Amino acid sequence: MSLRNIIKPYPSPIITGRGIDLDFPMLAGCLALIGLGLVMIASASTEVAAAQSGSALYYMIRHLIYIVLGLGACVITLMIPIATWQRLGWLMLLGAFGLLVMVIVPGIGREVNGSMRWIGFSFFNVQPSEIAKVFVVIYLAGYLVRRQKEVRESWMGFFKPFIVLLPMAGLLLMEPDFGATVVMMGAAAAMLFLGGVGLFRFSLMVVLAVAAVVLLIQVQPYRMARLTNFADPWADQFGAGYQLSQALIAFGRGEWLGVGLGNSVQKQFYLPEAHTDFVFSVLAEELGAVGSLCTVALFVFVCIRGMYIGYWAEKAKQFFAAYIAYGLSFLWIGQFLINIGVNVGLLPTKGLTLPFLSYGGSSLVICGACLGLLLRIEWESRTHLGSEETEFQESDFAEESTHGR
């Protein structure tokens, strides 16, 4: 039996009469980030890998495996119609709650650096917050479609999503994972605004969110310490400000053109988490300001392209798909801004990965799945296929319209 027969009645952008029919600019941008990430992980992790495992390529090999898994997740999501995600929104929301509850249960969740953020398996760890953020976006997209008029015209329609979002934020804070909470709530707020929430209600939500962040910072001494230390890391550069000080030294050493790939000094046990949260600092040291700005430009391109995919879906009146594209783009934007802001000293130190670039299996696999969703949304909006109301025929697999974007 051919693959084409297996996937009927749902055509796919990788099985068409024209061959592979994808948004190649988006795909190329993400693959470029993945390739750059592999190079930087190979460079930034050599010293710590050699010390911990005896092999300088240990983390690079694991990262390569994660890339393969992420690309596999991308292909799988490409094969699934967006209407299927819409039908499964509630189940995914329940699954997200289940995973977040499991991770804080002793004996199931794994503690690393004082935080219970992972569910450990024999060879790898799963970070439920990465999955939960995407599932929340899918659920909220469905809610905005079902309750569009209510969201735009009534306070109840505006507050209902928070009945779900606030308990989930509470579970994230129990890990604790303050960064993931901020990113998830920020993406949800942006989706509500694009869904038509009035400016007054949106402004009130922003004020309440800022007040909540201030309160959360004050009730936990370590968060207040991070806030005060990042403002002047040199005041305690060998204590609380050590990590940020070393990151800034990496930027300073890189100057305009960098010290050369593989020649970083900061990765040699000076900069903690050099291949995970602070891989951008090593990139800046080795590739310089020019390489850093090119990387930022690549991230900006990918995020803007994701927003455009949402805009094209909205023009095609595929509103559920449009909200998903907006939400996923805002998740990437939030993580990108926080990670870069932490690396350059504009934000307090916070453990949050850089999409596609940082080492981490859960993050990379979820990024791959998100890329597949965005590529599927772009294809469905361009071909007007994939909705629940569409009955597919053999001709749907034949020649399709020329890619015009």
Side-chain angles (χ1 to χ4, degrees), residues 31 34 206 226 325:
L31 289 179
I34 291 173
V206 171
R226 285 182 177 179

Side-chain angles (χ1 to χ4, degrees), residues 331-343:
L331 287 180
W332 286 354
I333 291 170
Q335 289 191 223
F336 163 70
L337 291 177
I338 292 176
N339 186 279
I340 299 295
V342 167
N343 275 256

Side-chain angles (χ1 to χ4, degrees), residues 195-277:
V197 170
L199 186 60
F200 174 74
R201 280 174 286 165
F202 181 76
S203 301
L204 177 62
M205 177 175 60
V206 171
V207 172
L208 292 175
V210 172
V213 169
V214 172
L215 179 62
L216 288 171
I217 290 174
Q218 290 181 340
V219 297
Q220 290 290 347
Y222 78 92
R223 291 186 185 132
M224 181 60 71
R226 285 182 177 179
L227 187 64
T228 55
N229 289 327
F230 104 94
D232 185 15
W234 307 107
D236 188 15
Q237 60 178 306
F238 297 109
Y242 178 78
Q243 196 168 27
L244 179 54
S245 300
Q246 298 302 315
L248 294 177
I249 290 172
F251 277 91
R253 292 193 74 252
E255 297 183 346
W256 285 105
L257 299 177
V259 298
L261 190 62
N263 293 327
S264 168
V265 171
Q266 294 305 103
K267 69 180 181 181
Q268 298 178 14
F269 306 104
Y270 291 102
L271 178 60
E273 309 295 340
H275 62 295
T276 55
D277 301 337

